[in-house]
Amino acid sequence: MHTAEPTLSREPGSAPAARRCRVLLVEDSARLAASIRDYLERHSFEVFIEGDGLAVAERFERLKPDLVILDLMLPGKDGLTLCRELRRFDRVPILILTAKGENIDQVLGLEMGADDYVVKPVEPRVLLARVEALLRRVRAVPAEAREAKLTAGRLAIDCARRSATIDSQPVELTTGDFDILCCSPRAREAWSRAMRSCAWCAASTTTASTARSTRASAACAASSRMRAEPNP
């Protein structure tokens, strides 16, 4: 018998030691979902399964999970859309499941705000290692850094809301990028310098959709450059 759904809420990524870490597994394959759940539960996780993309938001609000494992191919609403929607209002770590060889899905998932991915067929030990690594990274961020509001040139970051803007226009970042930017002034400066060198910064006219796309591409490039520079 699996654990009944809780009714108490708490902050994602900061689970009390008295209870197991809570995972929302969004996967419509009952067999795969059961396999992942059983493996993670043997390693002291609480796992709750949701197979309908349209039900994920309500289930997320009720469970307040510490981490989301998200398949991309779902009935009702696809995983990329769900990833983008969740990231707009929560900093919970998101790990996506992608088909072997689907590099575009991996790239799009990370650009939409996912923190990592595991390729199907899922190797349980690899999945467990990725889950534990994500949780360690989130919990390593100091409490004061999680609440700060920071600026670096044209970049503004609200660490509590997990939102970022460039010239007041929103840009989507991964949880890992937020963790680095909130903790490291040097990383913020590196990110800001990288953004200034991007072509879209000099563009005077463009459509809204093109602007969003170029901001996302520029942010991805800036994140890579930021990660390549040494941090204090």
Side-chain angles (χ1 to χ4, degrees):
M1 173 94 48
H2 296 286
T3 308
E5 291 202 7
T7 56
L8 298 178
S9 63
R10 81 284 171 270
E11 185 177 353
S14 58
R19 71 156 181 81
R20 295 183 295 170
C21 179
R22 189 173 299 155
V23 175
L24 175 59
L25 171 58
V26 184
E27 170 60 62
D28 64 325
S29 168
R31 183 175 180 179
L32 176 58
S35 174
I36 292 174
R37 179 195 60 201
D38 293 347
Y39 189 84
L40 292 180
E41 288 188 342
R42 288 200 298 272
H43 290 81
S44 302
F45 289 86
E46 282 185 298
V47 181
F48 302 90
I49 298 171
E50 179 54 62
D52 182 0
L54 293 174
V56 169
E58 187 274 334
R59 195 84 182 276
F60 181 90
E61 280 299 308
R62 188 165 72 248
L63 288 173
K64 301 294 184 186
D66 299 291
L67 181 137
V68 175
I69 299 175
L70 180 62
D71 189 20
L72 295 187
M73 300 298 293
L74 295 165
K77 186 178 290 189
D78 68 89
L80 289 175
T81 299
L82 288 169
C83 184
R84 183 175 64 248
E85 291 176 353
L86 289 175
R87 189 54 75 230
R88 284 174 180 167
F89 65 85
D90 203 284
R91 64 179 179 267
V92 65
I94 299 174
L95 187 151
I96 58 174
L97 303 179
T98 69
K100 184 176 182 180
E102 293 296 331
N103 293 334
I104 186 62
D105 285 345
Q106 297 162 13
V107 171
L108 287 173
L110 295 173
E111 288 183 349
M112 292 295 181
D115 301 286
D116 203 351
Y117 64 87
V118 170
V119 176
K120 293 181 178 180
V122 175
E123 168 55 51
R125 290 175 297 178
V126 172
L127 178 64
L128 176 64
R130 296 288 180 86
V131 165
E132 291 178 334
L134 280 178
L135 292 172
R136 283 195 303 271
R137 190 171 72 197
V138 170
R139 290 166 180 166
V141 178
E144 59 272 19
R146 297 177 188 167
E147 305 301 321
K149 292 186 178 181
L150 307 165
T151 59
R154 304 163 90 168
L155 170 68
I157 307 167
D158 186 330
C159 296
R161 294 176 59 87
R162 226 57 172 179
S163 63
T165 60
I166 301 166
D167 293 338
S168 300
Q169 298 300 312
V171 62
E172 294 177 349
L173 300 176
T174 69
T175 297
D177 286 339
F178 274 115
D179 292 343
I180 296 173
L181 289 167
C182 289
C183 291
S184 171
R186 185 176 297 177
R188 290 194 292 276
E189 289 301 324
W191 207 93
S192 183
R193 287 196 305 273
M195 289 303 301
R196 285 197 295 270
S197 70
C198 293
W200 74 266
C201 295
S204 57
T205 59
T206 185
T207 65
S209 60
T210 300
R212 284 193 299 270
S213 176
T214 50
R215 278 198 301 274
S217 299
C220 186
S223 296
S224 298
R225 194 176 308 179
M226 171 190 71
R227 290 171 182 273
E229 294 198 15
N231 288 319

